[in-house]
């Protein structure tokens, strides 16, 4: 985890103090979700928690023990290189916008992104993700997990971008305490 370079922390003046944004580990870091999270953070003077999901594994785990060790080392190095580069690039975008941030990415090809991501979402005021298509199973799973297990509001930004103040909002309700908490936490978005 690392913190963005700032001279002093700001006090939040808006409804959100901390905004979690998840982006895929890869070359394209300026996603619609990142742009929306930055806009919300600027408006609320909030901190962005950046999570870069691990890129998908390049090839299946070898069967033999001799090849598995080499594969694990190579895949771990590839994952670290791609994830660190995406984290650094996204951090520069956030810092240029004048927003404080912390960043994290997985360090192992076996570290599941959604488990850690859901836990981070629970301590942030809102989670912002790109809406993903059905073909991207890992990011779709992360979106579903955070939606159903975080107990916090989730903003899914369409592929062509979207307003930082959404016009259409869906409330998924099962009558549980965590749903009531998530709706209460989302009141700033629902008020409009």
């Amino acid at each position: 985890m690392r913190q963005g370079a700032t001279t002093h922390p700001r006090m939040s003046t808006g409804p959100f103090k901390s905004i979690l944004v998840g982006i895929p580990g890869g070359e394209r870091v300026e996603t619609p979700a990142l742009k929306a999270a930055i806009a919300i953070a600027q408006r609320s003077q909030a901190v962005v928690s950046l999570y870069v999901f691990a890129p998908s594994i390049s090839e299946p785990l070898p069967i033999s023990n001799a090849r598995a060790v080499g594969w694990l080392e190579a895949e771990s190095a590839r994952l670290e290189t791609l994830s660190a580069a995406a984290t650094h690039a996204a951090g520069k975008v956030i810092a240029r916008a004048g927003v404080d941030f912390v960043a994290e990415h997985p360090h192992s090809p076996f570290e599941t992104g959604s488990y850690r991501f859901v836990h981070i979402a629970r301590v942030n005021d809102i989670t912002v993700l790109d809406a993903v298509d059905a073909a991207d199973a890992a990011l779709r799973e992360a979106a579903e997990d955070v939606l159903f297990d975080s107990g916090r509001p989730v903003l899914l930004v369409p592929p062509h971008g979207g307003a930082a103040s959404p016009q259409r909002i869906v409330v998924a309700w099962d009558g549980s305490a965590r749903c009531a908490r998530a709706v209460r936490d989302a009141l700033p978005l629902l008020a409009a």
Side-chain angles (χ1 to χ4, degrees):
M1 191 181 284
R2 80 173 196 202
Q3 179 137 2
T6 59
T7 54
H8 53 76
R10 293 185 199 108
M11 293 298 291
S12 175
T13 59
F16 304 117
K17 295 179 187 87
S18 57
I19 298 152
L20 173 62
V21 60
I23 63 170
E27 295 178 19
R28 184 175 168 252
V29 296
E30 288 193 62
T31 69
L34 183 62
K35 292 175 185 175
I38 290 170
I40 294 168
Q42 287 172 324
R43 201 170 53 240
S44 298
Q45 292 185 341
V47 173
V48 169
S49 294
L50 171 67
Y51 188 86
V52 177
F53 292 100
S56 48
I57 293 174
S58 62
E59 61 183 69
L61 177 66
I63 299 297
S64 71
N65 283 344
R67 287 200 63 228
V69 171
W71 174 89
L72 181 58
E73 289 173 357
E75 199 59 28
S76 294
R78 185 185 75 83
L79 172 115
E80 180 62 29
T81 299
L82 292 174
S83 297
T87 302
H88 180 71
K92 285 172 67 174
V93 171
I94 297 167
R96 269 196 315 265
V99 174
D100 293 337
F101 72 96
V102 293
E104 181 175 335
H105 67 269
H107 297 280
S108 164
F110 300 111
E111 187 177 331
T112 60
S114 63
Y115 177 79
R116 175 75 178 136
F117 190 67
V118 168
H119 285 275
I120 297 169
R122 290 178 182 161
V123 296
N124 282 272
D125 295 322
I126 186 168
T127 299
V128 183
L129 287 169
D130 290 297
V132 295
D133 59 28
D136 196 338
L139 292 179
R140 188 185 73 242
E141 179 183 330
E144 288 176 7
D145 288 348
V146 78
L147 182 64
F148 293 111
D149 294 332
S150 72
R152 296 292 191 178
V154 177
L155 177 61
L156 295 175
V157 182
H160 297 43
S165 296
Q167 300 302 309
R168 283 183 259 159
I169 296 175
V170 175
V171 175
W173 184 268
D174 68 1
S176 68
R178 70 180 174 184
C179 280
R181 187 172 50 255
V183 170
R184 188 214 169 282
D185 292 345
L187 283 177
L189 295 173
L190 297 170

